[in-house]
Every structure is written in structure tokens, then in C-alpha cells.
Coordinates of all heavy atoms in Angstrom, one line a residue:
M14 N -33.9 46.4 -28.9 CA -33.5 45.4 -28.0 C -32.6 44.4 -28.7 O -32.7 44.1 -29.8 CB -34.8 44.7 -27.5 CG -34.5 43.8 -26.2 SD -34.3 44.7 -24.8 CE -34.2 43.5 -23.5
R15 N -31.6 44.0 -27.9 CA -30.6 43.0 -28.5 C -31.3 41.6 -28.6 O -32.1 41.2 -27.8 CB -29.4 42.8 -27.5 CG -28.4 43.9 -27.7 CD -27.2 43.6 -27.0 NE -26.1 44.4 -27.7 CZ -25.0 43.9 -28.2 NH1 -24.8 42.6 -28.1 NH2 -24.2 44.7 -28.8
N16 N -30.8 41.0 -29.6 CA -31.2 39.6 -29.8 C -30.4 38.7 -28.9 O -29.2 39.0 -28.8 CB -31.0 39.2 -31.3 CG -31.6 38.0 -31.7 OD1 -31.6 37.0 -30.9 ND2 -32.3 38.0 -32.8
L17 N -31.0 37.7 -28.3 CA -30.2 36.9 -27.3 C -29.1 36.1 -28.0 O -28.2 35.5 -27.4 CB -31.1 36.0 -26.5 CG -31.7 36.7 -25.3 CD1 -32.5 35.8 -24.4 CD2 -30.6 37.4 -24.4
D18 N -29.3 36.0 -29.4 CA -28.2 35.3 -30.1 C -27.0 36.2 -30.3 O -25.9 35.7 -30.7 CB -28.7 34.9 -31.5 CG -29.7 33.8 -31.5 OD1 -29.7 33.1 -30.4 OD2 -30.5 33.7 -32.4
D19 N -27.2 37.5 -29.9 CA -26.0 38.4 -30.0 C -24.9 37.9 -29.0 O -25.2 37.3 -28.0 CB -26.4 39.8 -29.7 CG -27.2 40.5 -30.8 OD1 -27.2 39.9 -31.9 OD2 -27.7 41.6 -30.6
R20 N -23.7 38.3 -29.4 CA -22.6 37.9 -28.6 C -22.0 39.2 -28.0 O -22.1 40.3 -28.5 CB -21.5 37.2 -29.4 CG -22.0 35.8 -29.9 CD -21.7 34.8 -28.8 NE -22.5 33.6 -29.0 CZ -22.2 32.5 -28.3 NH1 -21.3 32.4 -27.5 NH2 -22.9 31.4 -28.5
C21 N -21.2 39.1 -26.9 CA -20.5 40.2 -26.3 C -19.5 40.8 -27.3 O -18.8 40.1 -27.9 CB -19.8 39.7 -25.1 SG -18.8 40.9 -24.3
D22 N -19.6 42.1 -27.4 CA -18.7 42.8 -28.3 C -17.2 42.8 -27.8 O -16.3 42.9 -28.6 CB -19.1 44.3 -28.4 CG -20.4 44.5 -29.1 OD1 -20.8 43.6 -29.9 OD2 -21.0 45.6 -28.9
L23 N -17.0 42.6 -26.6 CA -15.7 42.6 -26.0 C -15.0 41.2 -26.1 O -13.9 41.1 -26.5 CB -15.7 43.0 -24.6 CG -16.2 44.4 -24.3 CD1 -16.2 44.8 -22.8 CD2 -15.4 45.4 -25.1
C24 N -15.8 40.1 -25.7 CA -15.1 38.8 -25.6 C -15.8 37.7 -26.4 O -15.3 36.6 -26.5 CB -15.0 38.4 -24.2 SG -16.5 37.8 -23.4
G25 N -17.0 38.1 -27.0 CA -17.7 37.1 -27.8 C -18.5 36.1 -27.0 O -19.0 35.1 -27.5
G26 N -18.6 36.4 -25.7 CA -19.3 35.5 -24.8 C -20.8 35.6 -25.0 O -21.3 36.5 -25.7
Q27 N -21.5 34.7 -24.4 CA -23.0 34.6 -24.6 C -23.6 35.6 -23.6 O -23.2 35.8 -22.5 CB -23.5 33.2 -24.2 CG -24.9 32.9 -24.7 CD -25.3 31.5 -24.3 OE1 -24.5 30.6 -24.2 NE2 -26.6 31.4 -24.0
L28 N -24.7 36.3 -24.1 CA -25.5 37.2 -23.3 C -26.7 36.6 -22.7 O -27.3 35.7 -23.3 CB -25.9 38.4 -24.1 CG -24.8 39.2 -24.9 CD1 -25.3 40.4 -25.6 CD2 -23.7 39.6 -23.9
E29 N -27.0 37.0 -21.5 CA -28.2 36.5 -20.8 C -28.9 37.6 -20.1 O -28.2 38.5 -19.5 CB -27.7 35.4 -19.7 CG -28.8 34.6 -19.1 CD -28.3 33.4 -18.4 OE1 -27.8 33.7 -17.2 OE2 -28.4 32.3 -18.9
P30 N -30.2 37.6 -20.0 CA -30.9 38.7 -19.3 C -30.5 38.7 -17.9 O -30.4 37.7 -17.2 CB -32.4 38.3 -19.5 CG -32.5 37.4 -20.6 CD -31.1 36.6 -20.6
G31 N -30.3 39.9 -17.4 CA -29.9 40.1 -16.0 C -30.0 41.5 -15.5 O -30.8 42.3 -16.1
T32 N -29.3 41.9 -14.6 CA -29.3 43.3 -14.1 C -27.8 43.8 -14.0 O -26.9 42.9 -13.9 CB -29.9 43.5 -12.8 OG1 -29.3 42.7 -11.8 CG2 -31.4 43.1 -12.8
A33 N -27.7 45.1 -14.1 CA -26.3 45.7 -14.0 C -26.4 46.9 -13.1 O -27.4 47.6 -13.0 CB -25.8 46.1 -15.4
T34 N -25.3 47.1 -12.3 CA -25.1 48.3 -11.5 C -24.1 49.2 -12.3 O -23.0 48.7 -12.6 CB -24.7 48.0 -10.1 OG1 -25.7 47.2 -9.5 CG2 -24.4 49.2 -9.3
L35 N -24.6 50.4 -12.6 CA -23.7 51.3 -13.4 C -23.1 52.3 -12.5 O -23.7 52.8 -11.6 CB -24.4 52.0 -14.5 CG -25.0 51.1 -15.6 CD1 -25.4 52.0 -16.8 CD2 -24.0 50.1 -16.1
E36 N -21.8 52.7 -12.7 CA -21.1 53.8 -12.0 C -20.9 54.8 -13.1 O -20.2 54.5 -14.1 CB -19.8 53.3 -11.4 CG -20.0 52.2 -10.3 CD -19.8 50.8 -10.9 OE1 -19.1 50.7 -11.9 OE2 -20.5 49.9 -10.4
I37 N -21.4 56.0 -12.9 CA -21.3 57.1 -13.9 C -20.8 58.3 -13.3 O -21.3 58.8 -12.3 CB -22.7 57.3 -14.5 CG1 -23.3 56.1 -15.1 CG2 -22.7 58.5 -15.5 CD1 -24.8 56.2 -15.4
W38 N -19.7 58.9 -13.9 CA -19.1 60.1 -13.5 C -19.9 61.3 -14.2 O -20.1 61.2 -15.4 CB -17.7 60.2 -13.8 CG -16.8 59.5 -12.8 CD1 -16.2 58.3 -13.0 CD2 -16.3 60.0 -11.6 NE1 -15.5 58.0 -11.9 CE2 -15.5 59.0 -11.0 CE3 -16.5 61.2 -10.9 CZ2 -14.9 59.2 -9.8 CZ3 -15.9 61.4 -9.7 CH2 -15.1 60.4 -9.1
R39 N -20.3 62.2 -13.4 CA -21.0 63.4 -14.0 C -20.7 64.6 -13.1 O -20.9 64.6 -11.9 CB -22.5 63.2 -14.0 CG -23.3 64.1 -14.8 CD -24.6 63.5 -15.2 NE -25.3 64.4 -16.1 CZ -26.1 65.5 -15.7 NH1 -26.2 65.7 -14.4 NH2 -26.7 66.2 -16.5
K40 N -20.1 65.7 -13.8 CA -19.8 66.9 -13.1 C -19.0 66.6 -11.8 O -19.4 67.0 -10.7 CB -21.0 67.7 -12.7 CG -21.7 68.2 -14.0 CD -23.0 69.0 -13.5 CE -23.8 69.4 -14.7 NZ -25.2 69.8 -14.3
Q41 N -17.9 65.9 -11.9 CA -17.0 65.6 -10.7 C -17.7 64.7 -9.7 O -17.2 64.6 -8.6 CB -16.6 66.9 -10.0 CG -15.9 67.9 -10.9 CD -14.5 67.4 -11.3 OE1 -13.8 66.7 -10.5 NE2 -14.1 67.6 -12.5
Q42 N -18.9 64.2 -10.0 CA -19.5 63.4 -9.0 C -19.8 62.0 -9.5 O -20.2 61.8 -10.7 CB -20.9 64.0 -8.6 CG -21.4 63.5 -7.3 CD -22.7 64.2 -6.9 OE1 -23.5 64.6 -7.7 NE2 -22.8 64.4 -5.6
L43 N -19.5 61.0 -8.7 CA -19.7 59.6 -9.1 C -21.1 59.2 -8.6 O -21.5 59.4 -7.5 CB -18.7 58.7 -8.4 CG -18.8 57.2 -8.6 CD1 -18.7 56.9 -10.1 CD2 -17.8 56.5 -7.8
M44 N -21.9 58.7 -9.6 CA -23.2 58.2 -9.2 C -23.3 56.7 -9.5 O -22.7 56.2 -10.4 CB -24.2 58.9 -10.1 CG -24.3 60.3 -10.0 SD -25.5 61.0 -11.1 CE -25.2 62.7 -10.8
V45 N -24.0 56.0 -8.6 CA -24.2 54.6 -8.8 C -25.7 54.4 -9.0 O -26.6 54.9 -8.3 CB -23.8 53.9 -7.5 CG1 -24.0 52.4 -7.6 CG2 -22.3 54.1 -7.3
I46 N -26.0 53.6 -10.0 CA -27.4 53.2 -10.3 C -27.5 51.7 -10.3 O -26.8 51.1 -11.1 CB -27.9 53.8 -11.6 CG1 -27.7 55.4 -11.6 CG2 -29.4 53.5 -11.9 CD1 -28.1 56.1 -12.9
R47 N -28.3 51.2 -9.4 CA -28.3 49.8 -9.2 C -29.4 49.0 -9.9 O -30.5 49.5 -10.2 CB -28.6 49.5 -7.7 CG -27.4 49.8 -6.8 CD -27.4 48.9 -5.5 NE -26.5 49.4 -4.6 CZ -25.2 49.1 -4.6 NH1 -24.7 48.3 -5.5 NH2 -24.4 49.6 -3.6
D48 N -29.0 47.8 -10.3 CA -30.0 46.8 -10.7 C -30.8 47.2 -12.0 O -32.0 47.0 -12.0 CB -31.0 46.5 -9.6 CG -30.3 45.9 -8.4 OD1 -29.2 45.2 -8.6 OD2 -30.7 46.1 -7.3
L49 N -30.1 47.9 -12.9 CA -30.8 48.2 -14.2 C -30.9 46.9 -15.0 O -30.0 46.0 -15.0 CB -29.9 49.1 -15.0 CG -29.8 50.6 -14.5 CD1 -28.6 51.3 -15.1 CD2 -31.1 51.3 -14.8
P50 N -32.1 46.7 -15.7 CA -32.2 45.6 -16.5 C -31.2 45.6 -17.7 O -31.1 46.7 -18.3 CB -33.7 45.6 -17.0 CG -34.1 47.1 -16.8 CD -33.3 47.6 -15.7
A51 N -30.5 44.5 -17.9 CA -29.5 44.5 -19.0 C -29.3 43.1 -19.4 O -29.5 42.2 -18.7 CB -28.2 45.1 -18.5
D52 N -28.8 43.0 -20.6 CA -28.2 41.7 -21.1 C -26.8 41.7 -20.6 O -26.0 42.6 -20.9 CB -28.3 41.5 -22.6 CG -29.8 41.4 -23.0 OD1 -30.6 40.9 -22.2 OD2 -30.1 41.7 -24.2
V53 N -26.4 40.6 -19.9 CA -25.1 40.6 -19.3 C -24.3 39.4 -19.9 O -24.8 38.3 -20.0 CB -25.2 40.4 -17.8 CG1 -23.8 40.4 -17.1 CG2 -26.1 41.5 -17.2
C54 N -23.0 39.7 -20.2 CA -22.1 38.7 -20.8 C -21.8 37.7 -19.7 O -21.4 38.0 -18.6 CB -20.8 39.3 -21.3 SG -19.6 38.1 -21.8
L55 N -22.0 36.4 -20.0 CA -21.7 35.3 -19.0 C -20.2 35.2 -18.7 O -19.8 34.7 -17.7 CB -22.2 34.0 -19.6 CG -23.8 33.8 -19.6 CD1 -24.1 32.5 -20.3 CD2 -24.4 33.9 -18.2
Q56 N -19.4 35.7 -19.7 CA -17.9 35.5 -19.5 C -17.3 36.7 -18.8 O -16.6 36.5 -17.8 CB -17.2 35.3 -20.8 CG -17.4 33.9 -21.4 CD -16.4 33.7 -22.6 OE1 -15.3 33.4 -22.3 NE2 -16.9 33.8 -23.8
C57 N -17.5 37.9 -19.3 CA -16.8 39.0 -18.7 C -17.7 40.0 -18.0 O -17.3 41.0 -17.4 CB -16.1 39.8 -19.8 SG -17.1 40.8 -20.9
H58 N -19.0 39.7 -17.9 CA -20.0 40.4 -17.1 C -20.3 41.9 -17.7 O -20.8 42.7 -16.9 CB -19.6 40.5 -15.7 CG -19.4 39.1 -15.1 ND1 -20.4 38.1 -15.0 CD2 -18.3 38.5 -14.7 CE1 -19.9 37.0 -14.5 NE2 -18.6 37.2 -14.3
E59 N -19.8 42.1 -18.9 CA -20.1 43.4 -19.5 C -21.7 43.5 -19.7 O -22.3 42.6 -20.2 CB -19.4 43.5 -20.9 CG -19.7 44.8 -21.6 CD -19.0 46.0 -21.1 OE1 -18.2 45.9 -20.2 OE2 -19.4 47.1 -21.5
P60 N -22.3 44.6 -19.2 CA -23.7 44.8 -19.4 C -24.1 45.5 -20.7 O -23.3 46.4 -21.1 CB -24.1 45.6 -18.2 CG -22.9 46.4 -17.9 CD -21.7 45.7 -18.3
Y61 N -25.2 45.1 -21.3 CA -25.7 45.8 -22.5 C -27.1 46.2 -22.2 O -28.0 45.4 -22.0 CB -25.6 44.9 -23.7 CG -24.2 44.5 -24.1 CD1 -23.6 43.4 -23.6 CD2 -23.5 45.3 -25.0 CE1 -22.2 43.1 -23.9 CE2 -22.2 45.0 -25.4 CZ -21.6 43.9 -24.8 OH -20.3 43.6 -25.1
L62 N -27.3 47.6 -22.2 CA -28.6 48.1 -21.9 C -29.4 48.2 -23.2 O -28.8 48.4 -24.3 CB -28.5 49.5 -21.4 CG -27.7 49.8 -20.1 CD1 -27.8 51.2 -19.7 CD2 -28.2 48.9 -19.0
S63 N -30.7 48.0 -23.1 CA -31.5 48.1 -24.3 C -31.5 49.6 -24.7 O -31.3 50.5 -23.8 CB -32.9 47.6 -24.1 OG -33.6 48.5 -23.1
P64 N -31.8 50.0 -26.0 CA -31.9 51.4 -26.3 C -32.9 52.1 -25.5 O -32.7 53.3 -25.1 CB -32.3 51.3 -27.8 CG -31.9 50.0 -28.3 CD -32.0 49.1 -27.1
E65 N -34.0 51.5 -25.2 CA -35.1 52.1 -24.3 C -34.6 52.4 -22.9 O -34.7 53.5 -22.4 CB -36.3 51.2 -24.3 CG -37.5 51.9 -23.7 CD -38.6 51.0 -23.1 OE1 -38.4 49.8 -23.2 OE2 -39.5 51.5 -22.5
T66 N -33.9 51.5 -22.3 CA -33.3 51.7 -21.0 C -32.3 52.8 -21.0 O -32.2 53.6 -20.2 CB -32.7 50.4 -20.4 OG1 -33.7 49.4 -20.4 CG2 -32.1 50.6 -19.1
S67 N -31.5 52.7 -22.1 CA -30.4 53.7 -22.3 C -31.0 55.1 -22.4 O -30.5 56.1 -21.8 CB -29.6 53.4 -23.5 OG -28.3 53.8 -23.4
D68 N -32.0 55.3 -23.2 CA -32.7 56.6 -23.4 C -33.3 57.1 -22.0 O -33.1 58.3 -21.7 CB -33.9 56.5 -24.4 CG -33.3 56.4 -25.8 OD1 -32.1 56.6 -26.0 OD2 -34.1 56.1 -26.7
R69 N -33.9 56.2 -21.3 CA -34.6 56.6 -20.1 C -33.5 57.0 -19.1 O -33.7 57.9 -18.3 CB -35.5 55.5 -19.5 CG -36.7 55.3 -20.4 CD -37.5 54.1 -20.0 NE -38.2 54.3 -18.7 CZ -39.0 53.4 -18.1 NH1 -39.3 52.3 -18.8 NH2 -39.5 53.6 -17.0
L70 N -32.4 56.3 -19.1 CA -31.3 56.6 -18.2 C -30.7 58.0 -18.5 O -30.4 58.8 -17.6 CB -30.2 55.5 -18.3 CG -29.0 55.6 -17.3 CD1 -29.5 55.5 -15.9 CD2 -28.1 54.5 -17.6
D71 N -30.6 58.2 -19.8 CA -30.1 59.6 -20.2 C -31.0 60.7 -19.7 O -30.5 61.7 -19.2 CB -30.0 59.7 -21.8 CG -28.8 58.9 -22.3 OD1 -27.9 58.6 -21.5 OD2 -28.7 58.7 -23.5
R72 N -32.3 60.4 -19.8 CA -33.2 61.5 -19.4 C -33.2 61.6 -17.8 O -33.2 62.7 -17.3 CB -34.7 61.1 -19.8 CG -35.0 61.7 -21.1 CD -36.4 61.3 -21.6 NE -36.4 60.1 -22.3 CZ -37.4 59.1 -22.2 NH1 -38.4 59.3 -21.4 NH2 -37.3 58.0 -22.9
F73 N -33.0 60.5 -17.2 CA -32.9 60.5 -15.7 C -31.6 61.3 -15.3 O -31.7 62.1 -14.4 CB -32.8 59.1 -15.1 CG -32.5 59.1 -13.6 CD1 -33.5 59.6 -12.7 CD2 -31.3 58.6 -13.2 CE1 -33.2 59.6 -11.4 CE2 -31.0 58.6 -11.8 CZ -32.0 59.1 -10.9
M74 N -30.5 61.1 -16.0 CA -29.3 61.8 -15.7 C -29.4 63.3 -15.8 O -28.6 64.0 -15.2 CB -28.1 61.3 -16.6 CG -27.8 59.8 -16.4 SD -27.4 59.4 -14.6 CE -25.9 60.2 -14.4
D75 N -30.4 63.8 -16.6 CA -30.6 65.2 -16.7 C -31.4 65.8 -15.5 O -31.6 67.0 -15.4 CB -31.3 65.6 -18.0 CG -30.4 65.4 -19.2 OD1 -29.2 65.4 -19.0 OD2 -31.0 65.1 -20.3
T76 N -32.0 64.9 -14.7 CA -32.9 65.3 -13.7 C -32.4 65.0 -12.3 O -33.0 65.3 -11.3 CB -34.3 64.7 -13.8 OG1 -34.1 63.3 -13.5 CG2 -34.9 64.9 -15.2
T77 N -31.2 64.4 -12.2 CA -30.7 63.9 -10.9 C -30.6 65.0 -9.8 O -30.7 64.7 -8.6 CB -29.4 63.1 -11.0 OG1 -28.5 64.0 -11.7 CG2 -29.6 61.8 -11.7
E78 N -30.4 66.2 -10.2 CA -30.3 67.3 -9.2 C -31.6 67.4 -8.4 O -31.6 67.9 -7.3 CB -29.9 68.6 -9.9 CG -28.4 68.8 -10.1 CD -28.1 69.3 -11.4 OE1 -28.9 70.0 -12.1 OE2 -27.0 69.0 -11.9
N79 N -32.7 67.0 -9.0 CA -34.0 67.1 -8.3 C -34.5 65.8 -7.7 O -35.6 65.8 -7.1 CB -35.1 67.5 -9.4 CG -34.7 68.8 -10.1 OD1 -34.2 69.7 -9.5 ND2 -34.9 68.7 -11.4
V80 N -33.7 64.8 -7.7 CA -34.1 63.5 -7.2 C -33.2 63.2 -6.0 O -32.0 63.2 -6.1 CB -33.9 62.4 -8.3 CG1 -34.4 61.0 -7.7 CG2 -34.7 62.7 -9.5
K81 N -33.8 62.9 -4.9 CA -33.1 62.6 -3.7 C -32.5 61.1 -3.8 O -33.3 60.2 -4.0 CB -34.0 62.7 -2.5 CG -33.3 62.5 -1.1 CD -34.3 62.9 0.0 CE -33.7 62.7 1.4 NZ -33.6 61.3 1.8
P82 N -31.2 61.0 -3.6 CA -30.7 59.6 -3.7 C -31.2 58.7 -2.6 O -31.5 59.2 -1.5 CB -29.2 59.8 -3.6 CG -28.9 61.3 -3.7 CD -30.2 62.0 -3.4
R83 N -31.2 57.4 -2.9 CA -31.7 56.5 -1.9 C -30.7 56.5 -0.7 O -31.1 56.4 0.5 CB -31.7 55.1 -2.5 CG -32.4 54.0 -1.7 CD -32.6 52.8 -2.4 NE -31.3 52.2 -2.8 CZ -31.2 51.0 -3.5 NH1 -32.3 50.4 -3.8 NH2 -30.1 50.5 -3.8
Q84 N -29.4 56.6 -1.0 CA -28.4 56.7 0.0 C -27.1 57.3 -0.5 O -27.0 57.3 -1.8 CB -28.1 55.4 0.7 CG -27.5 54.4 -0.2 CD -27.0 53.1 0.5 OE1 -26.8 53.1 1.6 NE2 -27.0 52.0 -0.3
Y85 N -26.2 57.7 0.3 CA -24.9 58.1 -0.1 C -23.9 57.1 0.3 O -23.9 56.5 1.4 CB -24.5 59.5 0.5 CG -25.2 60.7 -0.2 CD1 -26.4 61.1 0.2 CD2 -24.6 61.3 -1.3 CE1 -27.1 62.2 -0.4 CE2 -25.2 62.3 -1.9 CZ -26.5 62.8 -1.5 OH -27.1 63.8 -2.2
L86 N -22.9 56.8 -0.6 CA -21.9 55.9 -0.3 C -20.6 56.6 -0.1 O -20.4 57.7 -0.6 CB -21.7 54.9 -1.5 CG -22.9 54.2 -2.1 CD1 -22.5 53.5 -3.4 CD2 -23.5 53.3 -1.1
T87 N -19.7 56.0 0.7 CA -18.4 56.5 0.9 C -17.4 55.6 0.2 O -17.5 54.4 0.4 CB -18.0 56.6 2.4 OG1 -19.0 57.3 3.1 CG2 -16.7 57.2 2.6
V88 N -16.6 56.1 -0.7 CA -15.7 55.2 -1.5 C -14.3 55.6 -1.2 O -14.0 56.8 -1.0 CB -16.0 55.3 -3.0 CG1 -17.4 54.8 -3.3 CG2 -15.8 56.7 -3.5
P89 N -13.4 54.7 -1.1 CA -11.9 55.0 -0.9 C -11.3 55.5 -2.2 O -11.7 55.0 -3.3 CB -11.3 53.6 -0.5 CG -12.2 52.6 -1.1 CD -13.6 53.2 -1.2
E90 N -10.4 56.5 -2.1 CA -9.7 57.0 -3.3 C -8.2 56.8 -3.0 O -7.8 57.1 -1.9 CB -10.0 58.4 -3.5 CG -9.3 59.0 -4.7 CD -9.5 60.5 -4.9 OE1 -10.6 60.9 -5.2 OE2 -8.6 61.3 -4.6
Y91 N -7.5 56.3 -4.0 CA -6.0 56.2 -3.8 C -5.3 56.9 -5.0 O -5.9 57.1 -6.0 CB -5.6 54.7 -3.9 CG -6.3 53.9 -2.8 CD1 -7.4 53.1 -3.1 CD2 -5.8 53.8 -1.5 CE1 -8.1 52.3 -2.2 CE2 -6.4 53.0 -0.6 CZ -7.5 52.3 -0.9 OH -8.2 51.6 0.1
S92 N -4.1 57.4 -4.7 CA -3.3 58.0 -5.8 C -2.7 56.9 -6.6 O -2.5 55.7 -6.2 CB -2.3 58.9 -5.2 OG -1.3 58.1 -4.5
A93 N -2.2 57.3 -7.8 CA -1.5 56.3 -8.7 C -0.2 55.9 -7.9 O 0.2 54.7 -8.0 CB -1.1 57.0 -10.0
L94 N 0.4 56.8 -7.2 CA 1.6 56.4 -6.5 C 1.4 55.3 -5.5 O 2.1 54.3 -5.4 CB 2.1 57.7 -5.8 CG 3.6 57.6 -5.2 CD1 4.6 57.4 -6.3 CD2 3.9 58.9 -4.4
Q95 N 0.3 55.5 -4.7 CA -0.1 54.4 -3.8 C -0.4 53.1 -4.5 O 0.0 52.0 -4.0 CB -1.3 54.8 -3.0 CG -1.1 55.9 -1.9 CD -2.5 56.2 -1.3 OE1 -3.4 56.7 -2.0 NE2 -2.6 55.9 0.0
A96 N -1.0 53.2 -5.6 CA -1.4 52.0 -6.3 C -0.2 51.3 -7.0 O -0.2 50.1 -7.1 CB -2.5 52.4 -7.4
L97 N 0.8 52.1 -7.4 CA 1.8 51.5 -8.2 C 3.1 51.2 -7.5 O 3.9 50.4 -7.9 CB 2.1 52.4 -9.4 CG 0.9 52.6 -10.3 CD1 1.3 53.5 -11.5 CD2 0.4 51.3 -10.9
E98 N 3.3 51.9 -6.4 CA 4.6 51.8 -5.7 C 4.7 50.4 -5.0 O 3.7 49.9 -4.5 CB 4.9 52.9 -4.7 CG 4.1 52.8 -3.4 CD 4.4 54.0 -2.5 OE1 5.2 54.9 -2.9 OE2 3.8 54.1 -1.4
G99 N 5.8 49.8 -5.1 CA 6.0 48.5 -4.4 C 5.4 47.3 -5.2 O 5.4 46.2 -4.6
T100 N 4.9 47.6 -6.4 CA 4.4 46.4 -7.1 C 5.3 46.0 -8.3 O 6.1 46.8 -8.7 CB 3.0 46.7 -7.7 OG1 3.1 47.8 -8.7 CG2 2.0 47.0 -6.7
Ligands
ZN16 ZN1 -17.9 39.5 -22.7

């Protein structure tokens, strides 16, 4: 577990206990896992999972084919051309 005196590796901001929603790509599929306990940077909102949470998440990711998702989301996808043209 991180010490709360630890600082964010990215911006040096202060960490505070909170929750994080992770988006993970696996085998061409995007998965969303909500409200994981994490230490979250107050400045840039980067989440830091404890080693225990991280291990459990890794194990869960090996079993997701057998777990019915709570719901399916529809997400918009854009091409780079759409994103970059005209800007
Ligand atoms: Zn940060």
C-alpha cells in the first residue's frame, strides 16, 4: 500500500484515498471497471491502485469471459482524420 505522504509520479501532486474507474483494452475489447479503491492525485486525478487491488484485478481480468457484465456501454469512435481536420 502506498504511503499517503507519497506524491504523484506524474505531477508531484498530493494523493488522497478515493475511487477510480479504469478503462482497459483486452483482446480488441474495451472494458470499464468502476469505482475501484485507489489513491487519487488531487491535481491530475491519476489513480494509484494498491498492489493487492492490482493483483485481484489481474486475476479478475483472466476470468471476465465467465462473468456477466453489469451492463454494456455504447461508445463513439472517431478516426484521426475526423479528429484532426479543421483544427
Ligand atoms: Zn498527479
Side-chain angles (χ1 to χ4, degrees):
M14 195 72 176
R15 276 193 161 236
N16 193 317
L17 278 184
D18 290 337
D19 283 350
R20 294 273 164 168
C21 175
D22 292 338
L23 298 181
C24 76
Q27 195 182 328
L28 303 182
E29 191 168 75
T32 59
T34 295
L35 296 193
E36 300 91 31
I37 301 168
W38 279 98
R39 193 161 184 273
K40 295 179 187 165
Q41 302 290 324
Q42 198 173 35
L43 176 63
M44 298 179 186
V45 177
I46 303 175
R47 286 208 193 275
D48 300 329
L49 289 161
D52 290 335
V53 182
C54 174
L55 289 175
Q56 283 194 80
C57 73
H58 308 294
E59 177 73 10
Y61 293 89
L62 303 182
S63 70
E65 191 201 354
T66 301
S67 207
D68 285 351
R69 289 174 69 176
L70 186 59
D71 283 346
R72 270 180 271 143
F73 174 68
M74 294 307 290
D75 290 335
T76 67
T77 50
E78 276 135 27
N79 306 316
V80 181
K81 188 170 178 284
R83 190 170 66 177
Q84 66 173 332
Y85 283 90
L86 307 174
T87 305
V88 298
E90 178 185 291
Y91 302 98
S92 69
L94 193 63
Q95 285 176 297
L97 301 178
E98 75 184 358
T100 62

